[in-house]
Amino acid sequence: MSLKNAYSSVIDALHKRPNGVSFNKLANDLKGKISRVKLVETLGKLLEDGVLEVKEDVRHKQKKVFKLREEVREKIREINEIERSLMNDISNLHLILKKYAGIAKEIKNESIRRYIEFRLNSLILELFRSFMR
């Protein structure tokens, strides 16, 4: 799995857990998609890039809880809204692409820009596949 895909898998998994998640639970969520070694590498890079925050679990001193920063979660919510509107009206595809580009221009963090690119590529591929059915 490329690092870009690993970023996206980890960000998606963390987005599904708004209160944060321990490493082991995150690894279980991503089992079969990303190895534990790649997960450690990816979490380190996302932490370095300021995408994540890490807190100590109050119940376990050695346990860490990983969570997306709120501004990242907000951008993902914007992307989700764009995708919902796209699925409702495919004729507005050019407007949707402009919205994606607008969001991407606002973001200085390269990890989040790569995530948006991955999401857009996945969406376009899914649309293409739906037309081929």
Side-chain angles (χ1 to χ4, degrees):
M1 173 178 279
S2 74
L3 194 55
K4 186 189 297 188
N5 292 345
Y7 281 2
S8 298
S9 295
V10 171
I11 290 171
D12 281 339
L14 287 168
H15 184 66
K16 291 176 184 173
R17 293 185 177 261
N19 296 323
V21 63
S22 70
F23 178 85
N24 286 333
K25 286 183 182 177
L26 184 59
N28 285 338
D29 289 351
L30 296 168
K31 194 172 188 172
K33 292 182 183 177
I34 182 173
S35 71
R36 286 177 169 264
V37 172
K38 185 64 113 175
L39 179 57
V40 169
E41 177 186 347
T42 303
L43 287 172
K45 182 65 175 144
L46 292 173
L47 260 169
E48 184 182 303
D49 289 348
V51 175
L52 303 178
E53 55 188 49
V54 179
K55 296 182 180 177
E56 288 189 17
D57 190 326
V58 293
R59 296 169 283 166
H60 304 283
K61 292 186 185 223
Q62 291 181 324
K63 196 174 189 182
K64 305 265 189 252
V65 175
F66 297 90
K67 182 178 176 183
L68 288 176
R69 293 192 177 279
E70 186 54 39
E71 58 270 18
V72 174
R73 293 184 59 71
E74 179 57 35
K75 290 299 178 188
I76 293 171
R77 284 190 287 270
E78 287 180 42
I79 291 167
N80 289 341
E81 184 59 38
I82 289 169
E83 289 174 358
R84 275 192 292 278
S85 66
L86 175 60
M87 292 307 196
N88 290 334
D89 188 1
I90 193 68
S91 64
N92 288 325
L93 180 59
H94 70 285
L95 297 174
I96 303 305
L97 294 175
K98 283 184 180 183
K99 286 182 183 182
Y100 261 97
I103 289 173
K105 285 180 186 176
E106 294 173 5
I107 297 170
K108 304 297 183 228
N109 186 302
E110 192 59 33
S111 292
I112 299 303
R113 288 178 73 119
R114 284 192 300 262
Y115 174 72
I116 290 171
E117 177 185 323
F118 178 82
R119 288 282 299 263
L120 181 58
N121 286 338
S122 297
L123 180 65
I124 290 171
L125 182 60
E126 182 59 35
L127 288 169
F128 179 74
R129 286 180 180 151
S130 72
F131 288 128
M132 298 302 289
R133 292 182 192 137

